Amino acid sequence: MTALDLSSPVAVVGTGTMGQGIAQVALVAGHPVRLYDAAPGLARKAADTIGSRLDRLVEKERLTADERDAARARLTPVDDLAGLAGCSLVVEAVVERLDVKQELFRALEDVVADDCLLATNTSSLSVTAIGGALRVPGRFVGLHFFNPAPLLPLVEVVSGFATDADAATRAYETARAWGKTPVSCADTPGFIVNRVARPFYAEAFAVYEMQGADPATVDAVLRESGGFRMGAFELTDLIGQDVNESVTHSVWQAFFQDVRFRPSLAQRRLVESGRLGRKTGRGWYDHREGAERPEPHTAGPAEPPAYVVAEGGLGPAAELLDLIREAGIEVREAEEDEGSRLVLPSGGRLVLADGQLSAEFGDVVHFDLALDYRKATRIAVSHAAHTSAATVAQAVGLFQALGKKVSVIGDVPGMIVARTVARIIDLAVEAVAQGVATEEDVDTAMRLGVNYPLGPFEWSRRLGRGWARALLDEMHEVDPCGRYAPSLALHRYARATDQREDTP
């Protein structure tokens, strides 16, 4: 099946922000577009708003005046569902309630032809459940756009249990013809993005709840070390705490309260207090006029060590050895190449976050994972109460000598970036193993849908396929609640590499 012909009318039901955005995308692509909303007058108001947006596109030289005028002529608000007869595609963007959506599509089936493609833009409900109410469920798909739809390229094309392959292909090719980047996925709670992204929020909140670090510090480490565009606390303030928690709760419930998706009590209290983020003026941060943004914890100046002893190659942090040498600090090679750590002049050890607590060892400072140690502007370090002051100072001074700001956080297993990335990789591997999507589509979805610096499988290839499993194994031993137990899929994923390496 190919994309819908541009002469085919497209309908959008629901004229809120998302509905208007989807209508604009189809309109600019060249389709006749019909708008319907159950509330009287809203469809015509939405048409006027879309017209104003087309004017702005002309001002920005993204459309010509003639293209704008032609698009306006193709846009038609209608007063009832009967006005959608003859459409080849109807996209629904109404309230996130299963009964409302099912009732809508049952009514649509009495209006449109049996070969009309029906699509829902739901982000949290089951595509299978919505389509289950239809007389012809095979032509029903999910077309999950991301807000704002005209700007964000990703579209998740979701096949429900009864969706015909031809219908999914036609929806996919149509989204691509509209200039979007579609990814195919099976109907699973959260689809790709909202399923795989849960740890990004959950682990930040967990570090906070353990009093490992404050929100400003966690966000700074995620941005400046992890390479994420925004930290979890500032991002959820932007999204809306109620919206973010609702998605988390929906995914958790849909997975039968799987502990790996468990919502945050701290976020629940924030929602209960009415501090929903930017839209209410306060969330994790105070967004009211004149409010000062809290600064992340940054350690004061410390003297760098004269030398370090490298035991092993530091694994994913191997680049640090070159940076240390470039900073004029001597790197001595250990006589026995065991482990993967740096030994400081104090006798203490500096170890990449591995899922263990510093408290389990004598004199150890852990440092967090970075997307790129050369480009990172901040590094987090953690230590136990009994870690010597000299070892902590030398660890801080070492990273400061490399031009990094240093945030000292609590003794949290997996620290901040490492635990977050490991859990994202685990959920991504499990999703692929369960046939939800391909590795390529998962990576594309996470890069385009939530602006991750790397897709989970890109991270895994960089870190080593066994890295996430090893870190989560250690975290599960420290905290055996089940949240950090590596999935069976991740064990298989890592072991497949081990076995290939062991084959003569």
Side-chain angles (χ1 to χ4, degrees), residues 207 211-214 216-218 220-221 296-302 350 358 364-368 378-385 387-389 391-397 399-400 404-412 415-416:
V207 170
Q211 300 187 40
D214 61 277
T217 299
V218 173
V221 172
H297 175 272
T298 302
L350 187 57
S358 296
V364 166
V365 170
H366 280 99
F367 66 95
D368 208 352
R378 182 180 300 271
I379 296 293
V381 301
S382 65
H383 62 88
T387 305
S388 73
T391 294
V392 175
Q394 288 172 14
V396 170
F399 284 112
Q400 289 176 341
K404 317 299 182 187
K405 295 177 182 177
V406 180
S407 291
V408 181
I409 70 170
D411 189 11
V412 177
M415 303 194 68
I416 297 171

mmCIF file of all heavy atoms in Angstrom, residues 207 211-214 216-218 220-221 296-302 350 358 364-368 378-385 387-389 391-397 399-400 404-412 415-416:
data_model
loop_
_atom_site.group_PDB
_atom_site.id
_atom_site.type_symbol
_atom_site.label_atom_id
_atom_site.label_comp_id
_atom_site.label_asym_id
_atom_site.label_seq_id
_atom_site.Cartn_x
_atom_site.Cartn_y
_atom_site.Cartn_z
ATOM 1 N N VAL A 207 16.530 9.346 42.962
ATOM 2 C CA VAL A 207 17.732 9.955 43.560
ATOM 3 C C VAL A 207 17.323 11.059 44.532
ATOM 4 O O VAL A 207 17.866 11.178 45.632
ATOM 5 C CB VAL A 207 18.662 10.501 42.458
ATOM 6 C CG1 VAL A 207 19.785 11.345 43.063
ATOM 7 C CG2 VAL A 207 19.256 9.353 41.640
ATOM 8 N N GLN A 211 17.429 11.398 48.861
ATOM 9 C CA GLN A 211 18.211 12.559 49.299
ATOM 10 C C GLN A 211 19.640 12.500 48.777
ATOM 11 O O GLN A 211 20.578 12.974 49.417
ATOM 12 C CB GLN A 211 18.182 12.699 50.825
ATOM 13 C CG GLN A 211 16.768 12.883 51.368
ATOM 14 C CD GLN A 211 16.736 13.189 52.854
ATOM 15 O OE1 GLN A 211 17.568 13.952 53.349
ATOM 16 N NE2 GLN A 211 15.773 12.611 53.548
ATOM 17 N N GLY A 212 19.765 11.903 47.577
ATOM 18 C CA GLY A 212 21.081 11.844 46.950
ATOM 19 C C GLY A 212 21.500 13.170 46.354
ATOM 20 O O GLY A 212 22.689 13.499 46.321
ATOM 21 N N ALA A 213 20.518 13.925 45.853
ATOM 22 C CA ALA A 213 20.799 15.230 45.259
ATOM 23 C C ALA A 213 19.501 15.996 45.110
ATOM 24 O O ALA A 213 18.418 15.409 45.042
ATOM 25 C CB ALA A 213 21.488 15.068 43.899
ATOM 26 N N ASP A 214 19.606 17.309 45.047
ATOM 27 C CA ASP A 214 18.435 18.164 44.854
ATOM 28 C C ASP A 214 18.101 18.239 43.371
ATOM 29 O O ASP A 214 18.916 17.886 42.516
ATOM 30 C CB ASP A 214 18.715 19.560 45.417
ATOM 31 C CG ASP A 214 19.882 20.218 44.701
ATOM 32 O OD1 ASP A 214 21.044 19.934 45.077
ATOM 33 O OD2 ASP A 214 19.645 20.978 43.757
ATOM 34 N N ALA A 216 17.930 20.668 41.155
ATOM 35 C CA ALA A 216 18.813 21.470 40.303
ATOM 36 C C ALA A 216 20.099 20.724 39.984
ATOM 37 O O ALA A 216 20.618 20.796 38.861
ATOM 38 C CB ALA A 216 19.126 22.805 40.975
ATOM 39 N N THR A 217 20.617 19.979 40.955
ATOM 40 C CA THR A 217 21.859 19.234 40.733
ATOM 41 C C THR A 217 21.623 18.047 39.808
ATOM 42 O O THR A 217 22.405 17.792 38.884
ATOM 43 C CB THR A 217 22.444 18.761 42.074
ATOM 44 O OG1 THR A 217 22.733 19.899 42.896
ATOM 45 C CG2 THR A 217 23.725 17.967 41.859
ATOM 46 N N VAL A 218 20.534 17.318 40.033
ATOM 47 C CA VAL A 218 20.220 16.191 39.158
ATOM 48 C C VAL A 218 20.052 16.672 37.723
ATOM 49 O O VAL A 218 20.605 16.080 36.779
ATOM 50 C CB VAL A 218 18.944 15.463 39.632
ATOM 51 C CG1 VAL A 218 18.523 14.404 38.614
ATOM 52 C CG2 VAL A 218 19.168 14.822 40.997
ATOM 53 N N ALA A 220 21.263 19.366 36.299
ATOM 54 C CA ALA A 220 22.539 19.822 35.751
ATOM 55 C C ALA A 220 23.407 18.645 35.316
ATOM 56 O O ALA A 220 24.055 18.686 34.266
ATOM 57 C CB ALA A 220 23.280 20.679 36.785
ATOM 58 N N VAL A 221 23.423 17.584 36.121
ATOM 59 C CA VAL A 221 24.232 16.402 35.771
ATOM 60 C C VAL A 221 23.671 15.726 34.519
ATOM 61 O O VAL A 221 24.426 15.319 33.633
ATOM 62 C CB VAL A 221 24.292 15.421 36.960
ATOM 63 C CG1 VAL A 221 24.957 14.116 36.548
ATOM 64 C CG2 VAL A 221 25.048 16.047 38.133
ATOM 65 N N PRO A 296 22.805 24.388 40.959
ATOM 66 C CA PRO A 296 23.219 23.028 41.302
ATOM 67 C C PRO A 296 24.393 23.045 42.269
ATOM 68 O O PRO A 296 25.152 24.026 42.326
ATOM 69 C CB PRO A 296 23.632 22.431 39.943
ATOM 70 C CG PRO A 296 24.020 23.605 39.112
ATOM 71 C CD PRO A 296 23.104 24.722 39.548
ATOM 72 N N HIS A 297 24.513 21.982 43.043
ATOM 73 C CA HIS A 297 25.663 21.886 43.943
ATOM 74 C C HIS A 297 26.941 21.779 43.117
ATOM 75 O O HIS A 297 27.059 20.922 42.230
ATOM 76 C CB HIS A 297 25.557 20.658 44.845
ATOM 77 C CG HIS A 297 26.775 20.468 45.703
ATOM 78 N ND1 HIS A 297 27.881 19.751 45.283
ATOM 79 C CD2 HIS A 297 27.073 20.931 46.941
ATOM 80 C CE1 HIS A 297 28.800 19.781 46.225
ATOM 81 N NE2 HIS A 297 28.331 20.484 47.247
ATOM 82 N N THR A 298 27.875 22.651 43.398
ATOM 83 C CA THR A 298 29.168 22.637 42.711
ATOM 84 C C THR A 298 30.260 22.736 43.762
ATOM 85 O O THR A 298 30.266 23.669 44.577
ATOM 86 C CB THR A 298 29.288 23.805 41.717
ATOM 87 O OG1 THR A 298 28.224 23.719 40.761
ATOM 88 C CG2 THR A 298 30.619 23.746 40.976
ATOM 89 N N ALA A 299 31.161 21.790 43.753
ATOM 90 C CA ALA A 299 32.225 21.742 44.767
ATOM 91 C C ALA A 299 33.180 22.914 44.608
ATOM 92 O O ALA A 299 33.421 23.402 43.493
ATOM 93 C CB ALA A 299 32.988 20.429 44.639
ATOM 94 N N GLY A 300 33.707 23.367 45.735
ATOM 95 C CA GLY A 300 34.707 24.420 45.716
ATOM 96 C C GLY A 300 36.035 23.919 45.172
ATOM 97 O O GLY A 300 36.235 22.714 44.981
ATOM 98 N N PRO A 301 36.965 24.824 44.918
ATOM 99 C CA PRO A 301 38.253 24.448 44.323
ATOM 100 C C PRO A 301 39.017 23.456 45.203
ATOM 101 O O PRO A 301 38.997 23.532 46.425
ATOM 102 C CB PRO A 301 39.004 25.776 44.235
ATOM 103 C CG PRO A 301 37.947 26.837 44.312
ATOM 104 C CD PRO A 301 36.865 26.273 45.176
ATOM 105 N N ALA A 302 39.676 22.512 44.548
ATOM 106 C CA ALA A 302 40.505 21.523 45.241
ATOM 107 C C ALA A 302 41.762 21.294 44.431
ATOM 108 O O ALA A 302 41.768 21.443 43.206
ATOM 109 C CB ALA A 302 39.737 20.213 45.422
ATOM 110 N N LEU A 350 39.268 5.665 42.520
ATOM 111 C CA LEU A 350 38.249 6.402 41.775
ATOM 112 C C LEU A 350 37.666 5.441 40.746
ATOM 113 O O LEU A 350 38.382 4.945 39.868
ATOM 114 C CB LEU A 350 38.879 7.618 41.103
ATOM 115 C CG LEU A 350 37.968 8.622 40.406
ATOM 116 C CD1 LEU A 350 36.922 9.188 41.369
ATOM 117 C CD2 LEU A 350 38.787 9.749 39.795
ATOM 118 N N SER A 358 29.555 3.152 47.460
ATOM 119 C CA SER A 358 30.907 3.402 47.970
ATOM 120 C C SER A 358 31.044 2.860 49.387
ATOM 121 O O SER A 358 32.133 2.463 49.809
ATOM 122 C CB SER A 358 31.201 4.910 47.957
ATOM 123 O OG SER A 358 31.213 5.409 46.641
ATOM 124 N N VAL A 364 36.721 4.672 48.607
ATOM 125 C CA VAL A 364 36.340 4.724 47.193
ATOM 126 C C VAL A 364 35.474 5.939 46.908
ATOM 127 O O VAL A 364 34.576 6.271 47.693
ATOM 128 C CB VAL A 364 35.584 3.442 46.782
ATOM 129 C CG1 VAL A 364 34.884 3.614 45.435
ATOM 130 C CG2 VAL A 364 36.538 2.263 46.712
ATOM 131 N N VAL A 365 35.745 6.576 45.799
ATOM 132 C CA VAL A 365 34.871 7.612 45.238
ATOM 133 C C VAL A 365 34.393 7.115 43.879
ATOM 134 O O VAL A 365 35.205 6.665 43.060
ATOM 135 C CB VAL A 365 35.614 8.955 45.074
ATOM 136 C CG1 VAL A 365 34.758 9.950 44.269
ATOM 137 C CG2 VAL A 365 35.968 9.552 46.426
ATOM 138 N N HIS A 366 33.085 7.146 43.671
ATOM 139 C CA HIS A 366 32.532 6.806 42.357
ATOM 140 C C HIS A 366 32.348 8.082 41.532
ATOM 141 O O HIS A 366 32.077 9.151 42.085
ATOM 142 C CB HIS A 366 31.185 6.094 42.491
ATOM 143 C CG HIS A 366 31.297 4.640 42.827
ATOM 144 N ND1 HIS A 366 31.158 4.152 44.115
ATOM 145 C CD2 HIS A 366 31.534 3.562 42.045
ATOM 146 C CE1 HIS A 366 31.306 2.833 44.104
ATOM 147 N NE2 HIS A 366 31.525 2.451 42.859
ATOM 148 N N PHE A 367 32.474 7.965 40.227
ATOM 149 C CA PHE A 367 32.149 9.091 39.340
ATOM 150 C C PHE A 367 31.163 8.612 38.296
ATOM 151 O O PHE A 367 31.125 7.440 37.930
ATOM 152 C CB PHE A 367 33.404 9.688 38.703
ATOM 153 C CG PHE A 367 34.143 8.777 37.749
ATOM 154 C CD1 PHE A 367 33.902 8.838 36.373
ATOM 155 C CD2 PHE A 367 35.096 7.872 38.210
ATOM 156 C CE1 PHE A 367 34.583 8.009 35.488
ATOM 157 C CE2 PHE A 367 35.788 7.048 37.330
ATOM 158 C CZ PHE A 367 35.531 7.107 35.968
ATOM 159 N N ASP A 368 30.348 9.529 37.808
ATOM 160 C CA ASP A 368 29.209 9.167 36.966
ATOM 161 C C ASP A 368 29.605 9.002 35.500
ATOM 162 O O ASP A 368 30.657 9.485 35.048
ATOM 163 C CB ASP A 368 28.119 10.228 37.089
ATOM 164 C CG ASP A 368 26.717 9.685 36.843
ATOM 165 O OD1 ASP A 368 26.586 8.517 36.430
ATOM 166 O OD2 ASP A 368 25.749 10.428 37.083
ATOM 167 N N ARG A 378 30.361 19.024 33.405
ATOM 168 C CA ARG A 378 30.138 18.703 34.809
ATOM 169 C C ARG A 378 30.227 17.206 35.006
ATOM 170 O O ARG A 378 29.786 16.430 34.153
ATOM 171 C CB ARG A 378 28.758 19.204 35.265
ATOM 172 C CG ARG A 378 28.446 18.960 36.742
ATOM 173 C CD ARG A 378 27.060 19.496 37.099
ATOM 174 N NE ARG A 378 26.941 20.928 36.861
ATOM 175 C CZ ARG A 378 27.243 21.869 37.755
ATOM 176 N NH1 ARG A 378 27.672 21.505 38.970
ATOM 177 N NH2 ARG A 378 27.096 23.140 37.468
ATOM 178 N N ILE A 379 30.792 16.798 36.130
ATOM 179 C CA ILE A 379 30.864 15.390 36.504
ATOM 180 C C ILE A 379 30.359 15.256 37.933
ATOM 181 O O ILE A 379 30.706 16.061 38.800
ATOM 182 C CB ILE A 379 32.314 14.846 36.418
ATOM 183 C CG1 ILE A 379 32.823 14.895 34.977
ATOM 184 C CG2 ILE A 379 32.384 13.415 36.958
ATOM 185 C CD1 ILE A 379 32.123 13.958 34.017
ATOM 186 N N ALA A 380 29.546 14.246 38.172
ATOM 187 C CA ALA A 380 29.102 13.957 39.536
ATOM 188 C C ALA A 380 30.012 12.910 40.157
ATOM 189 O O ALA A 380 30.439 11.967 39.477
ATOM 190 C CB ALA A 380 27.663 13.452 39.530
ATOM 191 N N VAL A 381 30.300 13.092 41.430
ATOM 192 C CA VAL A 381 31.044 12.096 42.195
ATOM 193 C C VAL A 381 30.266 11.794 43.465
ATOM 194 O O VAL A 381 29.492 12.621 43.950
ATOM 195 C CB VAL A 381 32.484 12.559 42.539
ATOM 196 C CG1 VAL A 381 33.279 12.870 41.284
ATOM 197 C CG2 VAL A 381 32.462 13.766 43.474
ATOM 198 N N SER A 382 30.455 10.583 44.000
ATOM 199 C CA SER A 382 29.776 10.205 45.236
ATOM 200 C C SER A 382 30.739 9.424 46.109
ATOM 201 O O SER A 382 31.685 8.799 45.614
ATOM 202 C CB SER A 382 28.529 9.367 44.943
ATOM 203 O OG SER A 382 28.881 8.131 44.350
ATOM 204 N N HIS A 383 30.483 9.454 47.403
ATOM 205 C CA HIS A 383 31.364 8.735 48.326
ATOM 206 C C HIS A 383 30.598 8.393 49.589
ATOM 207 O O HIS A 383 29.514 8.935 49.859
ATOM 208 C CB HIS A 383 32.595 9.579 48.664
ATOM 209 C CG HIS A 383 32.270 10.871 49.363
ATOM 210 N ND1 HIS A 383 32.145 10.968 50.726
ATOM 211 C CD2 HIS A 383 32.043 12.115 48.865
ATOM 212 C CE1 HIS A 383 31.848 12.214 51.054
ATOM 213 N NE2 HIS A 383 31.780 12.934 49.946
ATOM 214 N N ALA A 384 31.168 7.495 50.370
ATOM 215 C CA ALA A 384 30.569 7.093 51.636
ATOM 216 C C ALA A 384 31.008 8.034 52.753
ATOM 217 O O ALA A 384 31.950 8.820 52.596
ATOM 218 C CB ALA A 384 30.971 5.658 51.961
ATOM 219 N N ALA A 385 30.344 7.924 53.897
ATOM 220 C CA ALA A 385 30.698 8.771 55.035
ATOM 221 C C ALA A 385 32.117 8.506 55.498
ATOM 222 O O ALA A 385 32.801 9.417 55.991
ATOM 223 C CB ALA A 385 29.713 8.535 56.178
ATOM 224 N N THR A 387 34.676 7.560 53.594
ATOM 225 C CA THR A 387 35.712 7.829 52.593
ATOM 226 C C THR A 387 36.596 8.959 53.100
ATOM 227 O O THR A 387 36.111 9.967 53.624
ATOM 228 C CB THR A 387 35.083 8.220 51.246
ATOM 229 O OG1 THR A 387 34.173 7.191 50.833
ATOM 230 C CG2 THR A 387 36.142 8.396 50.172
ATOM 231 N N SER A 388 37.901 8.816 52.952
ATOM 232 C CA SER A 388 38.816 9.815 53.495
ATOM 233 C C SER A 388 38.650 11.155 52.785
ATOM 234 O O SER A 388 38.382 11.212 51.585
ATOM 235 C CB SER A 388 40.272 9.344 53.356
ATOM 236 O OG SER A 388 40.698 9.409 52.012
ATOM 237 N N ALA A 389 38.812 12.229 53.550
ATOM 238 C CA ALA A 389 38.684 13.577 52.987
ATOM 239 C C ALA A 389 39.725 13.812 51.899
ATOM 240 O O ALA A 389 39.446 14.511 50.909
ATOM 241 C CB ALA A 389 38.831 14.610 54.110
ATOM 242 N N THR A 391 40.957 11.598 49.777
ATOM 243 C CA THR A 391 40.534 10.937 48.540
ATOM 244 C C THR A 391 39.452 11.737 47.834
ATOM 245 O O THR A 391 39.484 11.914 46.615
ATOM 246 C CB THR A 391 40.041 9.507 48.843
ATOM 247 O OG1 THR A 391 41.139 8.721 49.308
ATOM 248 C CG2 THR A 391 39.442 8.853 47.610
ATOM 249 N N VAL A 392 38.477 12.252 48.597
ATOM 250 C CA VAL A 392 37.407 13.063 48.002
ATOM 251 C C VAL A 392 37.993 14.324 47.373
ATOM 252 O O VAL A 392 37.654 14.677 46.233
ATOM 253 C CB VAL A 392 36.349 13.440 49.063
ATOM 254 C CG1 VAL A 392 35.314 14.388 48.462
ATOM 255 C CG2 VAL A 392 35.672 12.187 49.608
ATOM 256 N N ALA A 393 38.889 14.999 48.094
ATOM 257 C CA ALA A 393 39.485 16.238 47.586
ATOM 258 C C ALA A 393 40.290 15.977 46.325
ATOM 259 O O ALA A 393 40.235 16.760 45.361
ATOM 260 C CB ALA A 393 40.358 16.878 48.661
ATOM 261 N N GLN A 394 41.053 14.882 46.307
ATOM 262 C CA GLN A 394 41.861 14.589 45.121
ATOM 263 C C GLN A 394 40.985 14.220 43.923
ATOM 264 O O GLN A 394 41.280 14.582 42.780
ATOM 265 C CB GLN A 394 42.848 13.472 45.434
ATOM 266 C CG GLN A 394 43.977 13.914 46.352
ATOM 267 C CD GLN A 394 44.849 12.764 46.831
ATOM 268 O OE1 GLN A 394 44.789 11.662 46.288
ATOM 269 N NE2 GLN A 394 45.668 13.029 47.836
ATOM 270 N N ALA A 395 39.875 13.520 44.175
ATOM 271 C CA ALA A 395 38.954 13.180 43.087
ATOM 272 C C ALA A 395 38.327 14.448 42.510
ATOM 273 O O ALA A 395 38.246 14.626 41.292
ATOM 274 C CB ALA A 395 37.874 12.233 43.593
ATOM 275 N N VAL A 396 37.893 15.346 43.402
ATOM 276 C CA VAL A 396 37.296 16.604 42.952
ATOM 277 C C VAL A 396 38.331 17.427 42.191
ATOM 278 O O VAL A 396 38.065 17.953 41.097
ATOM 279 C CB VAL A 396 36.737 17.397 44.143
ATOM 280 C CG1 VAL A 396 36.342 18.814 43.718
ATOM 281 C CG2 VAL A 396 35.543 16.674 44.755
ATOM 282 N N GLY A 397 39.518 17.540 42.743
ATOM 283 C CA GLY A 397 40.578 18.321 42.105
ATOM 284 C C GLY A 397 40.977 17.763 40.749
ATOM 285 O O GLY A 397 41.294 18.522 39.825
ATOM 286 N N PHE A 399 39.030 16.165 38.509
ATOM 287 C CA PHE A 399 38.063 16.544 37.474
ATOM 288 C C PHE A 399 38.066 18.053 37.233
ATOM 289 O O PHE A 399 37.869 18.506 36.096
ATOM 290 C CB PHE A 399 36.662 16.058 37.854
ATOM 291 C CG PHE A 399 36.476 14.584 37.642
ATOM 292 C CD1 PHE A 399 36.314 13.722 38.725
ATOM 293 C CD2 PHE A 399 36.480 14.047 36.364
ATOM 294 C CE1 PHE A 399 36.155 12.357 38.529
ATOM 295 C CE2 PHE A 399 36.314 12.684 36.161
ATOM 296 C CZ PHE A 399 36.152 11.834 37.247
ATOM 297 N N GLN A 400 38.327 18.831 38.275
ATOM 298 C CA GLN A 400 38.422 20.275 38.071
ATOM 299 C C GLN A 400 39.616 20.613 37.190
ATOM 300 O O GLN A 400 39.541 21.527 36.354
ATOM 301 C CB GLN A 400 38.531 20.993 39.415
ATOM 302 C CG GLN A 400 37.229 20.974 40.205
ATOM 303 C CD GLN A 400 37.370 21.593 41.583
ATOM 304 O OE1 GLN A 400 38.481 21.724 42.116
ATOM 305 N NE2 GLN A 400 36.245 21.967 42.188
ATOM 306 N N LYS A 404 36.231 20.549 34.446
ATOM 307 C CA LYS A 404 34.849 20.182 34.751
ATOM 308 C C LYS A 404 34.393 20.794 36.074
ATOM 309 O O LYS A 404 35.175 20.875 37.028
ATOM 310 C CB LYS A 404 34.703 18.654 34.876
ATOM 311 C CG LYS A 404 35.444 17.837 33.822
ATOM 312 C CD LYS A 404 34.972 18.121 32.414
ATOM 313 C CE LYS A 404 35.709 17.239 31.415
ATOM 314 N NZ LYS A 404 35.394 17.618 30.013
ATOM 315 N N LYS A 405 33.125 21.189 36.125
ATOM 316 C CA LYS A 405 32.507 21.460 37.406
ATOM 317 C C LYS A 405 32.198 20.118 38.051
ATOM 318 O O LYS A 405 31.929 19.138 37.348
ATOM 319 C CB LYS A 405 31.225 22.255 37.221
ATOM 320 C CG LYS A 405 31.451 23.649 36.644
ATOM 321 C CD LYS A 405 30.123 24.360 36.410
ATOM 322 C CE LYS A 405 30.349 25.736 35.781
ATOM 323 N NZ LYS A 405 29.065 26.412 35.487
ATOM 324 N N VAL A 406 32.240 20.075 39.354
ATOM 325 C CA VAL A 406 32.039 18.810 40.062
ATOM 326 C C VAL A 406 30.868 18.945 41.029
ATOM 327 O O VAL A 406 30.819 19.877 41.838
ATOM 328 C CB VAL A 406 33.301 18.378 40.836
ATOM 329 C CG1 VAL A 406 33.055 17.058 41.567
ATOM 330 C CG2 VAL A 406 34.488 18.232 39.872
ATOM 331 N N SER A 407 29.929 18.024 40.928
ATOM 332 C CA SER A 407 28.820 17.947 41.874
ATOM 333 C C SER A 407 29.017 16.716 42.739
ATOM 334 O O SER A 407 29.092 15.597 42.217
ATOM 335 C CB SER A 407 27.480 17.845 41.134
ATOM 336 O OG SER A 407 27.170 19.045 40.465
ATOM 337 N N VAL A 408 29.122 16.925 44.039
ATOM 338 C CA VAL A 408 29.251 15.818 44.977
ATOM 339 C C VAL A 408 27.849 15.444 45.443
ATOM 340 O O VAL A 408 27.141 16.264 46.021
ATOM 341 C CB VAL A 408 30.134 16.191 46.176
ATOM 342 C CG1 VAL A 408 30.266 14.999 47.122
ATOM 343 C CG2 VAL A 408 31.517 16.658 45.704
ATOM 344 N N ILE A 409 27.438 14.209 45.159
ATOM 345 C CA ILE A 409 26.100 13.757 45.526
ATOM 346 C C ILE A 409 26.199 12.667 46.590
ATOM 347 O O ILE A 409 27.301 12.231 46.950
ATOM 348 C CB ILE A 409 25.317 13.251 44.297
ATOM 349 C CG1 ILE A 409 25.906 11.929 43.778
ATOM 350 C CG2 ILE A 409 25.300 14.301 43.191
ATOM 351 C CD1 ILE A 409 25.053 11.238 42.726
ATOM 352 N N GLY A 410 25.064 12.211 47.081
ATOM 353 C CA GLY A 410 25.045 11.159 48.084
ATOM 354 C C GLY A 410 25.487 9.823 47.505
ATOM 355 O O GLY A 410 25.638 9.651 46.287
ATOM 356 N N ASP A 411 25.685 8.875 48.397
ATOM 357 C CA ASP A 411 26.154 7.539 47.999
ATOM 358 C C ASP A 411 24.980 6.753 47.412
ATOM 359 O O ASP A 411 24.343 5.943 48.085
ATOM 360 C CB ASP A 411 26.747 6.827 49.221
ATOM 361 C CG ASP A 411 27.462 5.533 48.850
ATOM 362 O OD1 ASP A 411 27.680 5.293 47.642
ATOM 363 O OD2 ASP A 411 27.814 4.771 49.771
ATOM 364 N N VAL A 412 24.696 7.011 46.147
ATOM 365 C CA VAL A 412 23.544 6.433 45.455
ATOM 366 C C VAL A 412 24.042 5.408 44.440
ATOM 367 O O VAL A 412 24.843 5.748 43.578
ATOM 368 C CB VAL A 412 22.741 7.536 44.726
ATOM 369 C CG1 VAL A 412 21.593 6.931 43.939
ATOM 370 C CG2 VAL A 412 22.239 8.566 45.729
ATOM 371 N N MET A 415 24.494 6.133 40.634
ATOM 372 C CA MET A 415 24.563 7.588 40.564
ATOM 373 C C MET A 415 23.377 8.181 39.807
ATOM 374 O O MET A 415 22.238 7.843 40.110
ATOM 375 C CB MET A 415 25.919 8.008 40.001
ATOM 376 C CG MET A 415 27.090 7.457 40.843
ATOM 377 S SD MET A 415 28.670 8.210 40.503
ATOM 378 C CE MET A 415 28.424 9.877 41.119
ATOM 379 N N ILE A 416 23.588 9.016 38.794
ATOM 380 C CA ILE A 416 22.472 9.679 38.112
ATOM 381 C C ILE A 416 22.393 9.253 36.647
ATOM 382 O O ILE A 416 21.439 8.607 36.220
ATOM 383 C CB ILE A 416 22.596 11.217 38.219
ATOM 384 C CG1 ILE A 416 22.505 11.657 39.687
ATOM 385 C CG2 ILE A 416 21.514 11.909 37.382
ATOM 386 C CD1 ILE A 416 22.825 13.130 39.924
#
